[in-house]
């Protein structure tokens, strides 16, 4: 028996589900819930070399891999008769995965490990979209949004403890990232905490608007609604405390989109009143925040004034965008390759600074604008395909809204479409699509909207071969991803062990050489080997070992140029007056630093 969505566009089974269907439904709900609501709350810790992301990837992508195995095998064997469903958007993303997979054939990759990591990231999002479109049930949305609000509330409390320096382990368990003085929770960055708070805060407002007020008849519902309102107040406070302008504005864009969709369809007075009440509650928290004079309130007001006063600076994004245009100009038709933007940033910045010497030299991993990011990594054709897909989606949105004039929009559709406006607005300023714990939410929102945009008949017209190929892709991504991840975690632990050997250099080298064989962490292992050679050479005063370490570090820098390695190489080049190395670093350096080096 096939699983169906509860929306009107899907047929409802006439017979009661059997035990197998009930088990599969419970399993899929658990996998969706874990993948969506846990990753933002966990971090790897000091047991791993990569202290932040590994466990986030595990909690996000292991459930996705299991979904791929459960859905991909029947699709491969049975074609259209399996439970998997394809739509126009699903087919688009599958074709784009083909493009991404073949891209190295015409684009020379600077960092192969970087491309491999991003490939599995991208594949995980596509698999999640296909699984959500086919299997996600409407009544799962409310508990998952509630759990997300709980997650964000806890993260906000963690951030409050961090800013106060209260991050001591609880009975030996390090539940909070050991970063006192930083308001980041367990997300790793202030803007990412703000985005997660904005996503969860909007979802909390959505639950309040669509699921009734405090006077629900059922005691369980009253408890959930009261808890949701408590989460809403705490998240509002924490979002304002983050002082992230992009996160706060993104929340308002999502709330406005939801209110407009309700107004142009059902004009439900109860929902509109609850939306107004939720907005008023946010302003009340903002007023308390400013009057409390917490210090961060003053910072927030300063940042807001600076944004208005220096509007041409576009919140410190102008120079990053100038550099991004230059990176895109390196290969305007094909792009520089998936996951390769950051490894071209220093070269692009050098070109941008020759055109605008007043620019400030800096380094960032992302374009802070998703359209620019796609232009740099996928070229003009990739951007045009993305914009075409966006136009198709917007046209379908308008048609769907027109069909529902005078009627309530389906709950999942109202949340999904409003949520996408929030995320895409944030994507114009930050990097929501480069964290898997956020990208899976975007895939879910797209999938829930697509159910109401594209009829099942459109997928039924596709040959069975498309379903078999989709199933094969899901199985390959799952099996390959599990091997890639397990091997990478094992090697990451080896790198961590190598760090713990303070004196045994041979053991360090042995462990790092083993880790080099892992595709996930090969670049990290090679970099650590280079830095080990440099430290050892400095300790022994051996110029030969230092030269070997420099050569290894240069090889790493060629593949993955970073500001930290640039500074290390520039320091050695200046101290030892290595002219060839100075000339090698020229394309990555600001003009002023080269002039100073030449004068020295």
């Amino acid at each position: 028996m096939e699983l169906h969505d509860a929306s009107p566009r899907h047929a409802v089974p006439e017979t009661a589900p059997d035990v197998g269907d009930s088990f599969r439904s419970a399993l899929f709900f658990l996998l969706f819930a874990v993948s969506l609501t846990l990753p933002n709350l966990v971090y790897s810790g000091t047991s791993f070399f990569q202290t932040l992301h590994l466990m986030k990837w595990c909690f996000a992508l292991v459930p996705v891999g299991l979904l791929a195995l459960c859905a991909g095998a029947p699709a491969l064997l049975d074609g259209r008769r399996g439970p998997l469903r394809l739509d126009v958007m699903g087919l688009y993303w599958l074709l784009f995965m083909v493009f991404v997979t073949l891209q190295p054939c015409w684009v020379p990759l600077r960092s192969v490990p970087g491309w491999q990591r991003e490939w599995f990231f991208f594949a995980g999002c596509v698999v999640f979209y296909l699984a959500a479109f086919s299997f996600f049930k409407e009544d799962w949305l409310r508990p998952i949004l509630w759990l997300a609000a709980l997650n964000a509330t806890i993260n906000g409390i963690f951030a409050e403890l961090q800013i106060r320096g209260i991050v001591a382990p609880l009975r030996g368990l390090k539940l909070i990232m050991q970063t006192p003085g930083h308001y980041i929770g367990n997300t790793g960055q202030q803007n990412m905490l703000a985005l997660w708070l904005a996503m969860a805060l909007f979802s909390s407002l959505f639950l309040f608007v669509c699921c009734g007020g405090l006077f629900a008849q059922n005691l369980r519902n009253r408890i959930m609604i009261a808890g949701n309102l408590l989460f809403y107040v705490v998240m509002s406070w924490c979002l304002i405390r983050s002082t992230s302008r992009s996160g706060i504005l993104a929340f308002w864009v999502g709330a406005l989109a939801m209110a407009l969709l309700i107004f142009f369809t059902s004009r439900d007075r109860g929902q509109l009143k609850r939306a107004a009440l939720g907005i008023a509650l946010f302003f009340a928290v903002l007023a308390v925040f400013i009057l409390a004079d917490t210090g961060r309130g003053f910072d927030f007001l300063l940042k807001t004034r600076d944004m208005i006063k220096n509007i041409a600076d576009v919140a410190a994004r102008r120079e990053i965008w100038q550099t991004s245009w230059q990176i895109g100009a390196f290969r305007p038709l094909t792009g520089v390759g998936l996951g390769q933007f950051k490894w071209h940033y220093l070269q692009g910045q050098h070109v941008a600074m020759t055109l605008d010497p007043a620019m400030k030299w800096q380094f960032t991993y992302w374009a802070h604008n998703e359209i620019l990011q796609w232009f740099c990594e996928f070229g003009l054709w990739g951007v045009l395909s993305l914009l075409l897909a966006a136009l198709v989606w917007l046209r379908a949105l308008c048609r769907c809204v027109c069909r529902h004039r005078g009627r309530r929009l389906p709950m999942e559709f109202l949340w999904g479409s409003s949520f996408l406006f929030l995320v895409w607005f944030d994507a114009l300023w930050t990097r929501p699509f480069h964290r898997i714990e956020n990208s899976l939410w975007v895939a879910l929102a797209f999938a829930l909207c697509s159910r109401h945009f594209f009829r099942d008949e459109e997928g039924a017209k596709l040959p069975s071969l498309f379903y078999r190929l989709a199933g094969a892709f899901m199985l390959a991504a799952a099996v390959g991803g599990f091997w890639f991840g397990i091997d990478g975690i094992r090697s990451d632990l080896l790198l961590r062990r190598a760090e713990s050997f303070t004196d045994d250099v041979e053991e360090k080298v042995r462990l790092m050489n083993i880790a080099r064989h892992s595709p996930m962490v090969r670049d990290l292992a090679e970099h650590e080997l280079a830095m080990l050679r440099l430290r050892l050479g400095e300790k022994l005063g051996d110029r030969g070992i230092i030269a070997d370490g420099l050569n290894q570090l240069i090889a790493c820098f060629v593949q993955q140029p970073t500001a930290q390695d640039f500074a290390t190489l520039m320091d050695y080049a200046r101290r030892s007056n290595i002219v060839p190395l100075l000339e090698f670093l020229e394309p990555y350096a600001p003009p002023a630093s080269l002039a100073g080096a030449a004068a020295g």
Side-chain angles (χ1 to χ4, degrees):
M1 178 179 286
E2 299 175 0
L3 287 176
H4 294 275
D5 174 47
S7 65
R9 293 193 175 278
H10 294 267
V12 178
E14 296 180 358
T15 58
D18 57 26
V19 175
D21 283 332
S22 299
F23 173 77
R24 184 170 65 177
S25 180
L27 174 63
F28 280 15
F29 170 75
L30 178 63
L31 294 176
F32 278 115
V34 169
S35 188
L36 290 167
T37 64
L38 278 182
N40 261 307
L41 199 58
V42 300
Y43 73 105
S44 302
T46 54
S47 298
F48 294 90
F49 183 77
Q50 300 176 82
T51 57
L52 176 62
H53 295 296
L54 272 184
M55 287 301 101
K56 291 183 181 296
W57 294 341
C58 286
F59 278 93
L61 290 176
V62 168
V64 175
L66 294 175
L67 284 170
L69 291 176
C70 295
L76 178 62
L77 296 174
D78 299 332
R80 282 186 310 211
R81 290 175 294 178
L84 187 68
R85 291 289 174 263
L86 286 177
D87 69 310
V88 173
M89 283 296 175
L91 188 60
Y92 167 78
W93 290 118
L94 285 172
L95 292 175
F96 203 87
M97 279 304 307
V98 173
F99 168 80
V100 167
T101 305
L102 297 178
Q103 193 184 26
C105 295
W106 56 80
V107 175
L109 298 179
R110 174 162 270 172
S111 171
V112 175
W115 180 86
Q116 291 171 330
R117 288 190 291 264
E118 291 292 331
W119 190 94
F120 282 109
F121 179 106
F122 211 135
C125 292
V126 174
V127 167
F128 198 80
Y129 175 92
L130 296 175
F133 181 82
S134 303
F135 305 113
F136 194 92
K137 293 185 177 181
E138 184 179 353
D139 57 1
W140 294 352
L141 184 61
R142 185 181 179 187
I144 285 178
L145 295 186
W146 196 90
L147 289 172
L150 173 62
N151 175 315
T153 300
I154 296 173
N155 243 321
I157 294 172
F158 284 173
E160 291 290 335
L161 295 176
Q162 285 171 331
I163 204 70
R164 291 168 172 81
I166 310 174
V167 291
L170 178 63
R171 295 186 178 181
L173 296 176
K174 295 181 180 178
L175 302 177
I176 309 174
M177 287 187 66
Q178 307 298 295
T179 54
H182 295 275
Y183 202 85
I184 59 177
N186 281 351
T187 63
Q189 191 199 34
Q190 188 167 295
N191 271 347
M192 288 300 101
L193 173 64
L195 174 61
W196 176 234
L197 287 169
M199 291 163 59
L201 183 65
F202 165 76
S203 298
S204 178
L205 176 63
F206 169 82
L207 288 177
F208 179 64
V209 168
C210 292
C211 297
L214 289 171
F215 305 105
Q217 297 179 354
N218 187 292
L219 176 62
R220 172 176 168 272
N221 285 343
R222 287 202 297 270
I223 293 174
M224 288 191 68
I225 292 169
N228 179 57
L229 282 176
L230 176 62
F231 300 156
Y232 184 83
V233 172
V234 175
M235 287 187 293
S236 297
W237 173 268
C238 294
L239 178 58
I240 299 167
R241 284 267 285 172
S242 74
T243 70
S244 171
R245 295 155 294 183
S246 60
I248 295 171
L249 290 174
F251 164 71
W252 284 111
V253 169
L256 178 61
M258 178 176 63
L260 289 176
L261 286 172
I262 295 173
F263 179 79
F264 285 118
T265 53
S266 65
R267 299 197 177 186
D268 187 298
R269 291 186 177 181
Q271 289 186 343
L272 290 173
K273 286 180 180 178
R274 287 190 291 274
L277 181 59
I279 292 170
L281 185 56
F282 182 89
F283 275 112
V285 174
L286 177 61
V288 172
F289 175 78
I290 294 174
L291 293 174
D293 190 22
T294 61
R296 293 188 69 84
F298 185 66
D299 292 341
F300 173 69
L301 292 175
L302 280 180
K303 290 174 70 173
T304 304
R305 188 189 70 173
D306 179 70
M307 181 180 68
I308 297 172
K309 184 178 179 181
N310 302 310
I311 193 169
D313 192 43
V314 201
R317 300 296 190 266
R318 182 179 62 87
E319 293 168 335
I320 297 174
W321 293 347
Q322 285 178 289
T323 299
S324 300
W325 276 115
Q326 298 306 322
I327 296 174
F330 291 159
R331 290 180 173 272
L333 295 180
T334 61
V336 297
L338 176 66
Q340 308 299 301
F341 170 89
K342 51 194 169 186
W343 312 130
H344 290 79
Y345 189 86
L346 291 179
Q347 284 178 305
Q349 184 170 229
H350 179 78
V351 176
M353 292 190 76
T354 58
L355 300 175
D356 183 5
M359 276 183 59
K360 180 173 62 176
W361 195 87
Q362 58 185 325
F363 181 73
T364 183
Y365 282 156
W366 315 110
H368 291 270
N369 180 288
E370 195 61 29
I371 297 175
L372 264 179
Q373 184 88 24
W374 275 60
F375 172 58
C376 293
E377 295 194 345
F378 302 120
L380 185 61
W381 299 115
V383 170
L384 290 177
S385 72
L386 178 68
L387 294 178
L388 178 61
L391 289 175
V392 171
W393 188 88
L394 287 172
R395 180 174 178 270
L397 172 67
C398 294
R399 291 173 59 187
C400 189
V401 169
C402 290
R403 287 198 305 266
H404 283 83
R405 284 286 179 87
R407 294 182 295 140
R408 278 192 178 187
L409 287 168
M411 181 177 174
E412 59 178 3
F413 173 77
L414 178 60
W415 172 81
S417 53
S418 306
F419 183 86
L420 287 174
F421 278 103
L422 180 157
V423 175
W424 269 104
F425 176 83
D426 189 85
L428 298 176
W429 317 98
T430 58
R431 48 179 183 173
F433 300 146
H434 298 280
R435 292 289 185 94
I436 191 64
E437 55 269 30
N438 297 329
S439 295
L440 293 181
W441 280 92
V442 180
L444 174 67
F446 265 119
L448 297 186
C449 290
S450 293
R451 287 178 173 181
H452 301 273
F453 290 165
F454 311 110
R455 300 174 185 272
D456 280 347
E457 294 79 36
E458 295 179 4
K461 295 176 183 177
L462 296 174
S464 179
L465 177 64
F466 281 90
Y467 287 89
R468 295 184 187 277
L469 291 176
F473 159 73
M474 295 176 79
L475 287 176
V479 174
F482 282 131
W483 171 81
F484 186 80
I486 293 171
D487 180 64
I489 291 174
R490 178 186 66 86
S491 298
D492 185 275
L493 290 171
L494 290 177
L495 289 178
R496 183 68 185 90
R497 280 180 57 196
E499 273 191 334
S500 66
F501 285 94
T502 56
D503 298 320
D504 194 338
V505 176
E506 291 184 359
E507 182 64 11
K508 285 177 179 285
V509 172
R510 186 186 72 84
L511 293 172
M512 291 177 183
N513 278 321
I514 296 174
R516 286 177 64 188
H517 296 291
S518 169
M520 179 188 283
V521 301
R522 186 175 73 224
D523 50 348
L524 299 177
E526 291 174 346
H527 184 269
E528 288 304 299
L529 279 167
M531 296 305 296
L532 177 63
R533 297 289 289 179
L534 287 175
R535 289 193 296 268
L536 181 62
E538 291 280 358
K539 182 178 180 180
L540 299 177
D542 190 322
R543 292 190 176 184
I545 297 178
I546 292 176
D548 288 342
L550 280 175
N551 288 330
Q552 291 180 26
L553 186 59
I554 290 170
C556 295
F557 185 79
V558 168
Q559 295 179 12
Q560 298 184 351
T562 65
Q564 182 179 2
D565 288 346
F566 170 82
T568 301
L569 291 171
M570 182 64 80
D571 179 59
Y572 275 100
R574 284 173 171 169
R575 280 194 291 147
S576 303
N577 195 25
I578 309 174
V579 177
L581 183 54
L582 287 171
E583 293 175 349
F584 166 75
L585 295 172
E586 179 180 356
Y588 307 95
S593 71
L594 290 173

